């Protein structure tokens, strides 16, 4: 969760926040699944209480380093222009959290970037709007400012802080959260763009998005008494990491590494609502995220880390998954 990444710089004791929210640490560590809206609501509300800071969402947006948003940060940074980055943010936001519905609507010469969540969290609304504008400035090198900023929540007494960050008039008690831009701003180029790397990352993100969907369906369909065996799944993940490094992560090779037959591995994965392909996608996305966070990536080096001969083969293979 983004709050965890920002907590040290904000001086926020995350263990105290979790206790206040009555959530276990595992609530932030759901492997393969984004944090739920209900958990986000509890955590952010608790964080505001613990910190005593009603502007915690905005301060978090200012604090988060590039990379804290995982693949989403690298996708937007390597987009060729602001409009492409917004489109990718809308498509891949579910990788981070179930935080409502994002949309981009054109009305004449204006572009309306909207966020709507029934019973949403004010801090999350502030965070989304703040990150959108601050990241756009960072990646473009331009002083991108919206024409107007609107929020559903009430923060009139702190309007000056909002206007400082956005450089635009801010309204509250609006029907939805909204950033309104001059439509031409969507064509502002990003200096950080690497289109070939972005294509590879988009294939990774799409594969992970589909894996998240499968994991959510499996979790929803699981019987209350059927607990998964994380130990076995973790063993398969570790075997996949080793096999990817060796250049051959197919099912037979993974089974050989585990000292089991391919059929047995397949059966046990199926019993837990998983598959070799889904786990392979998950592990490759994990490797990509770790690599991106640790150094300046190139499309060729990332393809090699994922066990592919070339960037083009990554895109082809992930689209087939």
């Amino acid at each position: 969760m983004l709050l965890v990444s920002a907590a040290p710089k904000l001086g926020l004791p995350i263990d105290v926040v979790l206790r206040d929210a009555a959530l276990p640490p595992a609530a932030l560590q759901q492997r393969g699944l984004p944090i739920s809206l209900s958990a986000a609501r509890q955590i952010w509300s608790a964080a505001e209480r613990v910190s005593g800071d009603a502007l915690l969402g905005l301060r978090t947006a200012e604090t988060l380093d590039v990379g804290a948003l995982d693949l989403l940060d690298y996708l937007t940074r390597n987009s060729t222009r602001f409009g492409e980055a917004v489109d990718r943010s809308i498509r891949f936001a579910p990788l981070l959290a179930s935080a409502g519905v994002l949309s981009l609507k054109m009305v004449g010469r204006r572009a309306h970037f909207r966020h709507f969540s029934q019973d949403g969290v004010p801090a999350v609304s502030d965070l989304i709007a703040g990150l959108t504008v601050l990241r756009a400035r960072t990646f473009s090198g331009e002083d991108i400012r919206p024409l107007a900023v609107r929020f559903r929540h009430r923060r009139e007494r702190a309007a000056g802080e909002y206007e400082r960050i956005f450089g635009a008039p801010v309204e509250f008690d609006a029907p939805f959260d909204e950033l309104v831009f001059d439509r031409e701003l969507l064509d502002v180029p990003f200096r950080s763009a690497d289109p070939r790397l972005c294509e590879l990352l988009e294939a990774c993100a799409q594969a992970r998005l589909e894996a998240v969907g499968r994991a959510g369906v499996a979790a929803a369909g699981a019987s209350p008494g059927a607990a998964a065996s994380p130990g076995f799944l973790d063993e398969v993940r570790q075997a996949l990491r080793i096999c990817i490094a060796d250049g051959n992560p197919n099912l037979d090779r993974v089974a050989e590494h585990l000292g089991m037959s391919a059929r047995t591995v397949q059966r046990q994965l199926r019993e837990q609502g998983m598959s070799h392909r889904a786990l392979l996608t998950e592990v490759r996305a994990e490797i990509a995220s770790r690599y991106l966070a640790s150094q300046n990536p190139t499309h060729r080096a990332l393809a090699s880390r994922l066990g592919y001969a070339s960037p083009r083969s990554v895109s082809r293979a992930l689209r087939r998954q």
Side-chain angles (χ1 to χ4, degrees):
M1 187 181 181
L2 300 182
L3 186 60
V4 176
S5 298
K9 291 185 179 180
L10 294 170
L12 185 65
I14 201 66
D15 54 336
V16 176
V17 171
L18 288 172
R19 282 201 301 272
D20 187 275
L23 288 170
L28 303 183
Q29 299 170 350
Q30 304 175 79
R31 185 186 291 272
L33 287 174
I35 187 169
S36 69
L37 181 58
S38 60
R41 184 183 296 113
Q42 288 175 259
I43 292 168
W44 279 100
S45 297
E48 286 190 340
R49 288 193 297 271
V50 170
S51 68
D53 187 357
L55 299 179
L56 187 63
L58 282 184
R59 304 207 196 288
T60 301
E62 288 188 294
T63 299
L64 287 170
D65 294 327
V66 174
L69 277 65
D70 195 42
L71 275 174
L72 193 59
D73 251 343
Y74 296 104
L75 270 171
T76 52
R77 184 176 75 175
N78 287 286
S79 296
T80 58
R81 57 188 182 85
F82 180 37
E84 284 184 9
V86 171
D87 287 340
R88 290 188 171 107
S89 295
I90 292 169
R91 287 172 54 200
F92 296 112
L95 292 177
L96 292 178
S98 304
V101 178
L102 298 175
S103 64
L104 182 64
K105 183 178 181 181
M106 303 300 172
V107 181
R109 294 185 58 80
R110 295 190 173 187
H112 297 251
F113 177 56
R114 293 176 178 172
H115 167 242
F116 180 81
S117 176
Q118 191 67 38
D119 300 322
V121 187
V124 173
S125 299
D126 293 352
L127 177 67
I128 291 171
L131 280 173
T132 300
V133 173
L134 294 173
R135 288 293 197 259
R137 290 173 183 163
T138 297
F139 299 154
S140 69
E142 302 290 337
D143 185 20
I144 289 180
R145 299 188 181 200
L147 298 171
V149 182
R150 301 186 179 105
F151 291 104
R152 292 183 71 203
H153 60 68
R154 307 186 70 174
R155 285 280 196 271
E156 288 90 340
R157 286 178 294 180
E161 273 297 281
Y162 285 85
E163 291 176 1
R164 176 185 68 80
I165 290 173
F166 294 108
V170 180
E171 302 171 26
F172 300 90
D173 286 324
F176 32 67
D177 306 322
E178 179 178 60
L179 295 171
V180 182
F181 296 97
D182 185 311
R183 189 169 183 166
E184 291 183 357
L185 278 182
L186 298 181
D187 292 322
V188 170
F190 277 8
R191 297 179 182 178
S192 54
D194 182 337
R196 292 184 67 189
L197 177 59
C198 195
E199 181 184 1
L200 189 158
L201 293 173
E202 184 162 352
C204 286
Q206 183 60 44
R208 184 190 280 187
L209 192 63
E210 292 168 5
V212 165
R214 288 193 297 268
V217 170
S223 61
S229 170
F232 175 69
L233 294 182
D234 285 341
E235 287 178 13
V236 177
R237 289 185 183 100
Q238 183 57 29
L240 281 165
R241 293 184 192 104
I242 294 169
C243 292
I244 287 171
D246 290 341
N248 182 10
N250 66 28
L251 179 60
D252 289 336
R253 185 66 174 162
V254 171
E256 180 183 337
H257 185 82
L258 293 169
M260 305 168 71
S261 71
R263 182 171 296 181
T264 299
V265 173
Q266 204 167 32
R267 175 178 55 77
Q268 292 195 29
L269 288 174
R270 188 167 54 246
E271 287 172 357
Q272 297 188 38
M274 260 299 172
S275 69
H276 166 263
R277 179 175 291 181
L279 275 182
L280 177 58
T281 296
E282 177 190 312
V283 170
R284 277 182 164 143
E286 169 202 300
I287 292 170
S289 299
R290 191 161 53 239
Y291 171 69
L292 290 167
S294 66
Q295 54 196 289
N296 294 322
T298 67
H299 49 277
R300 188 167 299 281
L302 182 53
S304 176
R305 284 294 181 99
L306 298 177
Y308 291 103
S310 70
R312 184 170 296 177
S313 61
V314 178
S315 299
R316 284 199 305 264
L318 288 176
R319 289 190 184 108
R320 288 197 301 268
Q321 292 181 9

